[in-house]
Amino acid sequence: MKQAKTLTVKEFKRVLAVAKAGRHAERNALALCLSYYAGLRVKEIASLTVGDVYDTSGNVKEIVTLSASQTKGSKGRVVIVSKKLAIVLADYSKAQNKLLGQAYRPLLRSQKGAAFSGNSLCQVFSKLYAQAAIDGASSHSGRRTFITNLAHKGVSAKVLMTLAGHQHMSTTQRYIDVNDAMLKAAVELV
């Protein structure tokens, strides 16, 4: 099975611009950012509730705890919220204006007002990438880019594995993309 495309910064900005210009702009942009800035799987994004990411005062949590039912496999995990993602989540809360006090409400709601299934949110991602004319991108592209970017910035393998929620290093290694520029930079270190 072919792996999802890793995104360049330019491509991510382009798909984000497409999301922000379309219907459900805030919701779709947040879904992209949760994948790109936190490495969340589409199933995990679809399962998030307001209470998962905001405290009772409406502040963005620094750590999101995912239950086993929200993740792939049978183990829960924690997701660290970066400063960039915290800003996006704070802006989303302001735009939604009614999130406080609705801890069990889905964070991202479909057109019908219900929680997304993983498959239906996957279709949203596919549509956004198609509109942005990014070939080979899928709902897994943000996650794969998150892991690849951290690996190329020297983040240790154990930390990558933990952030990705993987149980085996071999799984994490399959996510890391390599290109000619990276190979050239590596040999120049000698």
Side-chain angles (χ1 to χ4, degrees):
M1 185 163 135
K2 188 175 178 182
Q3 289 194 341
K5 174 184 178 47
T6 54
L7 304 171
T8 65
V9 172
K10 186 177 179 180
E11 288 170 329
F12 179 67
K13 287 181 179 178
R14 187 165 75 229
V15 73
L16 199 56
V18 166
K20 289 180 177 180
R23 290 182 59 192
H24 312 290
E26 293 89 7
R27 178 199 74 191
N28 293 346
L30 178 57
L32 289 166
C33 288
L34 287 163
S35 176
Y36 186 85
Y37 290 127
L40 290 174
R41 297 174 179 98
V42 71
K43 174 189 176 186
E44 295 168 342
I45 296 168
S47 73
L48 287 173
T49 65
V50 171
D52 288 332
V53 296
Y54 302 103
D55 65 21
T56 55
S57 300
N59 299 310
V60 177
K61 293 180 178 179
E62 292 181 5
I63 297 174
V64 173
T65 304
L66 298 176
S67 67
S69 67
Q70 290 174 293
T71 64
K72 185 176 179 181
S74 59
K75 291 191 175 187
R77 71 182 184 106
V78 296
V79 176
I80 308 301
V81 177
S82 69
K83 291 177 185 175
K84 288 179 182 178
L85 183 55
I87 291 168
V88 175
L89 285 165
D91 290 346
Y92 182 75
S93 177
K94 288 176 194 166
Q96 294 301 305
N97 202 5
K98 298 176 184 174
L99 295 178
L100 194 58
Q102 297 185 27
Y104 295 101
R105 180 187 151 217
L107 180 66
L108 304 177
R109 294 193 297 175
S110 69
Q111 287 178 262
K112 297 177 182 177
F116 277 96
S117 68
N119 287 337
S120 60
L121 189 55
C122 200
Q123 291 173 13
V124 171
F125 275 90
S126 293
K127 183 178 177 183
L128 292 170
Y129 285 122
Q131 289 173 341
I134 302 173
D135 291 333
S138 74
S139 61
H140 225 58
S141 290
R143 177 173 169 77
R144 189 154 182 255
T145 303
F146 172 78
I147 294 167
T148 295
N149 287 344
L150 292 176
H152 292 189
K153 291 179 180 172
V155 174
S156 78
K158 180 67 175 169
V159 171
L160 280 176
M161 190 175 92
T162 303
L163 288 172
H166 292 150
Q167 294 183 28
H168 304 284
M169 184 57 60
S170 60
T171 304
T172 305
Q173 289 174 326
R174 287 193 303 266
Y175 277 73
I176 301 169
D177 194 21
V178 177
N179 62 37
D180 291 343
M182 293 168 202
L183 295 173
K184 180 160 177 42
V187 299
E188 295 302 331
L189 294 173
V190 176

